């Protein structure tokens, strides 16, 4: 089935309410026209449906998404796909700050550039950016993979935990406790798979791997770390 | 001839400061500990009620009806929170506390008709199942935060900061990070888990406005959205929270507790709860939002008198954390075993370098009475049924004290307590609460 919502004649509230009423196994295609930068479009969806946003969208687009495949035919504001659990969000244009923040799962693809703090606090989400990313990206990122075909701004991977970053272009500076590591065969395989899923092409061998040096895993490295658990 | 000793302790370099300097010189690191500020600050203790006499007419002690019902979140939410009394259990994380403790809190809160609150680390089934009314915290770390639990929540509390460490984020030391805690937080077991000091997906109040709208959209505008912050620039923060769209504002004073943070924060950051309440109420009044946006205050609320004074100053409810833990046995010399017998654990306190009545070693995970621990043996020392029974007694006592004071002030509803019912015992409290010094009309600074 297919339904069309036009934000010239309806509201974000009405669209979200409709999408929240879908059964967890519902299918179908939902077209959203004239978003005109509206915030919070398609947040909290939990159904394997396809949602196409035809134009630019505002903050928190597809926030907390589960299962849905959301495509934005335009740019997005802050925090697209924040806290995403599963599914796929594809931005055909550019993304503002905090793209994929705290995402737990699923795939976020941004064809253009993403601004600062892309992948901040990520917790298992995979993010592929066709262009470049801004400063402090992947800050305190815990799990998941961030693949960047362009450049990365200053402070990349500051305070990283277990997430891994792959950058093809120039890295303008690493954050605290982030370090460049050798690219393994496993890394190249993973980059290749993520690029294929994202529909982007590049040679995996051209990427630089950035991961945590793990020197900040204890606030006081000199104290005994004997776990009693 | 024996030399006389001259033992003149320095006020500037007293034994506490000497110990601090010596320890810092040995270790090169600051101290991290649990609970809240230990030093004396102006507090609700410095106020007293002007109960009824000839000029006011009291209600009968414990008999006459005195309403305690409290409603929070009336501004935008379709389903405001209804409490049987103006107390909620403060947010405390699974990780800092055991699952048994979270269950005990839920059981007691449900029995008393009040709410309890999750904490950093997400929502556990134990607390959701045992809590009729559960407030789900949205913290900067977003550990364990997910839309399924958002939809299960009765209210959502966006935590900007905490009274014990405003602006400081948090820490769960690796010693407490069990497999289960680590799994919930998507981090390796055993590492120190830093809770971020700022949110990942918004920065200022304008972004927060849209974030609140996102949470409202996800919950279909059903549940109230609280904003909690540590008391620093209270007037400005309350106004910004109102503007951002909060239904309820939670202000946590510097006496508020923590599971683990730098002592320098605990003792030196933020302002006491007493002036924080007054500033928050003034901000609500200036925005014409008193009674429209509800105010919850926390940070060193311990007794029914504290609750009554907070309400008289203008709060709609209080949140209690440390008092609740102490009700469950924190700082007692023993725990109660399965046969109901007390088992002395003074030696275990000593092994931590402390003693019952002085302990603030929550950060170690070795709580001798099984409250602030993830240790599989220690956590069994606080069983949910026993803990819930204790907490119900404590909360019942608070309610009795609150209502007896309200009746003595001639109020048939605890929310009718008012500023005029209070005077201050110290110049500092008079200035901070803007209540006259007892026996005078003097309000310093007014």
């Amino acid at each position: 089935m297919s339904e069309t919502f036009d934000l010239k004649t309806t509201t974000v509230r009405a669209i979200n309410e409709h999408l929240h009423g879908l059964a967890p196994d519902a299918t179908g295609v939902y077209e959203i026209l004239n978003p005109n930068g509206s915030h919070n479009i398609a947040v909290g969806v939990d159904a394997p449906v396809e949602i196409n946003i035809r134009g630019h969208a505002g903050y928190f687009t597809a926030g907390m998404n589960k299962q849905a495949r959301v495509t934005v035919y335009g740019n997005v504001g802050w925090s697209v796909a924040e806290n995403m659990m599963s599914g796929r969000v594809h931005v055909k244009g550019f993304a503002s700050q905090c793209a994929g923040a705290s995402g737990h799962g699923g795939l976020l693809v941004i064809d253009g550039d993403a601004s600062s703090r892309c992948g901040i606090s990520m917790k298992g989400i995979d993010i592929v950016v066709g262009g470049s990313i801004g400063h402090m990206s992947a800050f305190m990122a815990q799990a998941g993979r961030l693949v960047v075909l362009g450049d990365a701004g200053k402070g990349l991977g500051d305070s990283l935990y277990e997430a891994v970053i792959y950058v093809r272009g120039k890295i303008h500076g690493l954050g605290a406790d982030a370090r460049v590591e050798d690219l393994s065969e496993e890394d190249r395989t993973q980059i290749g798979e993520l690029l294929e899923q994202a529909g982007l092409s590049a040679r995996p061998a051209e990427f630089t791997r950035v991961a945590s040096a793990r020197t900040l895993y204890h606030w006081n490295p000199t104290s005994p770390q004997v776990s009693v658990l | 001839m024996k030399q006389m000793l001259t033992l003149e302790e320095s006020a500037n370099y007293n034994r506490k400061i000497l110990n601090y300097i010596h320890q810092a010189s040995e270790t090169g690191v600051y101290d991290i500990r649990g609970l809240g500020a230990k030093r004396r600050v102006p507090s609700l203790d410095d106020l007293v009620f002007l109960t009824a006499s000839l000029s006011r007419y009291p209600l009968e002690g414990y008999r006459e009806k005195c309403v305690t019902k409290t409603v929070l979140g009336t501004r935008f939410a379709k389903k405001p929170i209804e409490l049987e009394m103006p107390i909620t259990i403060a947010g405390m994380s699974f990780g800092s506390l055991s699952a048994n403790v979270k269950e005990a809190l839920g059981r007691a809160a449900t029995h008393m008709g009040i709410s309890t609150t999750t904490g950093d680390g997400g929502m556990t089934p134990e607390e959701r199942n045992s809590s009729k009314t559960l407030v789900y915290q949205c913290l900067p770390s977003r550990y364990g935060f997910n839309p399924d639990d958002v939809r299960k929540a009765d209210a959502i509390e966006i935590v900007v900061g905490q009274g014990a460490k405003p602006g400081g984020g948090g820490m769960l030391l690796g010693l407490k990070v069990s497999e289960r805690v680590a799994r919930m937080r998507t981090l390796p077991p055993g590492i120190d888990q830093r809770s971020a000091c700022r949110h990942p997906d918004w920065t200022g109040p304008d972004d927060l406005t849209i974030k609140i709208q996102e949470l409202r959209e996800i919950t279909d505008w059903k549940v109230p959205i609280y904003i909690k912050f540590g008391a620093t620039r209270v007037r400005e923060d309350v106004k910004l929270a109102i503007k951002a769209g909060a239904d309820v504002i939670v202000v946590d004073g510097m006496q508020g507790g923590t599971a683990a943070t730098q002592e320098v924060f605990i003792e030196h950051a933020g302002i006491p709860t007493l002036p924080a309440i007054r500033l928050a109420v003034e901000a609500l009044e200036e925005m014409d939002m008193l009674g429209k946006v509800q105010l919850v205050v926390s940070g060193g609320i311990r007794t029914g008198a504290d609750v009554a004074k907070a309400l008289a100053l203008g709060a709609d409810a209080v949140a209690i954390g440390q008092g609740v833990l102490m009700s469950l046995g924190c700082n007692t010399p023993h725990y109660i075993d399965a046969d109901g017998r007390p088992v002395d654990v003074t030696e275990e306190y000593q092994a931590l370098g402390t003693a019952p009545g002085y302990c603030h070693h929550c950060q170690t995970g070795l709580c001798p009475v099984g409250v602030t621990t993830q240790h599989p043996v220690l956590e069994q020392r606080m069983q949910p049924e026993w803990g819930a029974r204790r907490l119900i007694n404590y909360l019942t006592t608070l309610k009795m004290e609150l209502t007896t004071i309200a009746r003595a002030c001639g109020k048939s509803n605890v929310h009718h307590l008012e500023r005029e019912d209070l005077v201050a015992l110290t110049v500092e409290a008079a200035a901070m609460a803007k209540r006259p010094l007892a026996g005078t009309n003097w309000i310093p600074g007014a």
Side-chain angles (χ1 to χ4, degrees):
Chain A
M1 68 171 285
S2 175
E3 282 189 69
T4 299
F5 299 96
D6 189 340
L7 274 166
K8 272 188 176 171
T9 56
T10 189
T11 62
V12 170
R13 176 82 286 270
I15 295 172
N16 285 336
E17 196 165 25
H18 183 86
L19 294 171
H20 295 169
L22 297 173
D25 57 351
T27 57
V29 180
Y30 295 84
E31 297 285 332
I32 298 175
L33 310 181
N34 297 304
N36 293 333
S38 297
H39 305 306
N40 300 316
I41 299 175
V43 297
V45 177
D46 184 8
V49 294
E50 187 178 324
I51 299 169
N52 296 314
I53 301 171
R54 303 286 177 178
H56 305 311
Y59 282 39
F60 301 112
T61 303
M64 291 203 159
N65 182 55
K66 282 181 79 178
Q67 301 193 74
R69 293 169 65 86
V70 181
T71 304
V72 183
Y73 292 87
N75 305 324
V76 292
W78 280 45
S79 303
V80 61
E82 70 85 20
N83 221 105
M84 178 158 70
M85 306 301 291
S86 61
R88 175 189 170 106
V89 174
H90 189 162
V91 179
K92 294 287 191 179
F94 297 88
S96 186
Q97 299 191 39
C98 313
S102 286
H104 285 68
L107 176 66
L108 169 62
V109 180
I110 298 160
D111 286 352
D113 298 330
S115 184
S116 58
R117 289 173 280 181
C118 176
I120 181 173
S121 185
M122 51 195 276
K123 294 174 169 58
I125 189 174
D126 289 321
I127 303 175
V128 181
V129 180
S132 297
I133 57 173
H135 74 278
M136 293 296 280
S137 287
F139 175 65
M140 292 183 91
Q142 297 173 218
R145 297 162 294 182
L146 170 60
V147 178
V148 182
L149 277 72
D151 301 338
K154 290 179 181 173
L156 179 68
D158 194 290
S159 304
L160 261 180
Y161 287 103
E162 295 291 302
V164 180
I165 309 165
Y166 302 104
V167 180
R168 186 172 67 162
K170 184 178 178 186
I171 297 172
H172 290 275
L174 295 173
D177 206 35
R179 70 180 181 189
V180 170
E181 296 182 343
D182 291 339
L183 196 69
S184 68
E185 192 54 44
E186 172 65 18
D187 290 319
R188 284 191 281 272
T189 302
Q190 292 194 33
I191 294 167
E193 288 171 358
L194 286 167
L195 288 172
E196 189 178 348
Q197 289 173 38
L200 295 168
S201 67
R203 288 183 55 232
E206 294 175 351
F207 286 78
T208 301
R209 173 189 160 103
V210 175
S212 174
R214 299 176 180 167
T215 62
L216 299 177
Y217 272 18
H218 295 283
W219 74 282
N220 174 15
T222 61
S223 73
Q225 301 298 337
V226 181
S227 174
V228 295
L229 302 169
Chain B
M1 183 177 159
K2 196 173 175 185
Q3 178 73 35
M4 274 185 64
L5 293 176
T6 304
L7 301 177
E8 183 181 1
E9 188 173 21
S10 165
N12 287 329
Y13 296 91
N14 57 29
R15 275 166 289 179
K16 180 178 167 67
I17 290 293
L18 282 173
N19 183 53
Y20 156 77
I21 294 173
H22 294 158
Q23 190 181 327
S25 304
E26 275 182 33
T27 63
V29 294
Y30 47 52
D31 232 6
I32 282 187
R33 69 165 174 86
L35 298 184
K38 288 197 160 183
R39 65 173 167 151
R40 164 94 178 114
V41 294
S43 74
L44 294 167
D45 277 345
D46 301 323
L47 302 177
V48 288
F49 280 99
L50 301 178
T51 45
S53 55
L54 273 178
S55 58
R56 296 288 186 278
Y57 192 62
L59 302 185
E60 179 53 44
Y62 65 93
R63 289 170 179 258
E64 281 190 80
K65 189 175 178 183
C66 184
V67 175
T68 56
K69 197 171 181 67
T70 303
V71 183
L72 304 176
T74 55
R75 188 182 184 191
F76 293 119
K78 291 177 187 170
K79 294 182 180 173
I81 296 292
E82 294 188 6
L83 307 175
E84 291 302 321
M85 61 177 178
I87 296 175
T88 180
I89 293 175
M92 293 177 280
S93 75
F94 170 68
S96 65
L97 307 182
S98 71
N100 279 348
V101 170
K102 294 300 273 182
E103 184 179 337
L105 301 185
R107 284 195 195 190
T110 299
H111 181 88
M112 297 301 293
I114 64 171
S115 56
T116 184
T117 311
T118 65
D120 222 345
M123 182 189 291
T124 64
E126 289 91 339
E127 66 185 337
R128 178 60 280 186
N129 295 337
S130 61
S131 307
K132 179 174 176 288
T133 306
L134 182 61
V135 182
Y136 187 31
Q137 286 192 328
C138 175
L139 292 118
S141 74
R142 305 291 166 87
Y143 288 143
F145 197 70
N146 69 75
D148 297 328
D149 290 340
V150 167
R151 285 185 277 262
K152 286 180 200 160
D154 299 296
I156 295 169
E157 182 171 286
I158 298 174
V159 180
V160 178
Q162 207 177 321
K165 48 191 174 186
M171 184 94 91
L172 185 68
L173 296 187
L175 299 174
K176 294 177 82 169
V177 182
S178 66
E179 288 283 348
R180 183 181 176 191
V181 171
R183 198 165 51 249
M184 283 181 70
R185 298 178 182 223
T186 325
L187 281 170
I191 71 164
D192 296 341
Q193 299 198 348
R194 171 75 188 155
S195 295
C197 63
R198 51 183 191 258
H199 282 262
D201 53 350
W202 61 271
T203 54
D206 292 338
D207 310 328
L208 176 58
T209 306
I210 307 169
K211 179 67 190 176
I212 288 173
Q213 287 167 2
E214 184 209 19
L215 292 168
R216 290 200 192 281
E217 282 296 318
I218 290 170
T219 55
D220 292 318
W221 291 72
K222 287 177 186 158
V223 304
I225 309 286
Y226 300 12
I227 297 180
K228 174 180 178 177
F229 50 80
T232 54
R233 297 173 180 86
V234 177
R235 188 190 301 276
E236 293 82 356
D237 288 341
V238 166
K239 289 184 175 182
L240 290 170
I242 292 169
K243 185 175 176 293
D247 293 303
V248 176
I249 292 170
V250 183
V251 178
D252 194 21
M254 74 172 286
Q255 298 102 310
T258 174
T261 206
Q262 298 94 325
E263 183 161 273
V264 69
F265 270 119
I266 295 174
E267 298 288 1
H268 299 282
I271 65 171
T273 304
L274 179 66
I277 301 172
R278 194 262 300 165
L279 287 166
V281 172
E282 285 180 358
L284 286 162
E285 287 171 335
E286 288 165 17
M287 298 279 282
D288 192 25
M289 281 291 169
L290 196 65
K292 298 171 190 167
V293 170
Q294 283 76 38
L295 174 66
V296 177
V297 298
S298 56
I301 305 293
R302 309 145 302 169
T303 64
D306 286 346
V307 182
K309 291 171 188 175
L311 264 57
L313 287 173
D316 294 282
V318 299
I320 303 179
Q322 292 170 94
V324 160
L325 301 187
M326 288 163 193
S327 165
L328 299 182
C330 165
N331 267 300
T332 53
H334 56 258
Y335 70 89
I336 304 299
D337 71 10
D339 299 320
R341 290 176 303 214
V343 178
D344 189 89
V345 286
T346 305
E347 286 185 6
E348 292 183 42
Y349 280 101
Q350 283 170 354
L352 292 173
T354 187
Y358 300 91
C359 187
H360 55 220
H361 292 55
C362 321
Q363 79 282 0
T364 65
L366 297 174
C367 177
V369 291
V371 175
T372 59
T373 184
Q374 291 293 316
H375 190 290
V377 174
L378 296 177
E379 70 177 0
Q380 295 308 315
R381 295 179 180 178
M382 210 304 301
Q383 287 299 311
E385 192 176 335
W386 178 86
R389 205 162 52 238
R390 296 261 308 180
L391 187 48
I392 288 167
N393 285 341
Y394 174 54
L395 293 167
T396 302
T397 306
L398 296 186
K399 185 178 183 181
M400 290 172 70
E401 289 177 344
L402 167 63
T403 51
T404 203
I405 285 176
R407 289 188 188 98
C409 290
K411 312 293 200 271
S412 59
N413 184 324
V414 296
H415 296 288
H416 295 167
L417 286 164
E418 55 196 318
R419 278 173 279 195
E420 194 273 337
D421 292 322
L422 292 169
V423 292
L425 295 176
T426 66
V427 174
E428 289 85 355
M432 291 183 185
K434 282 199 178 169
R435 296 306 310 144
L437 190 65
T440 77
N441 292 321
W442 183 40
I443 300 175

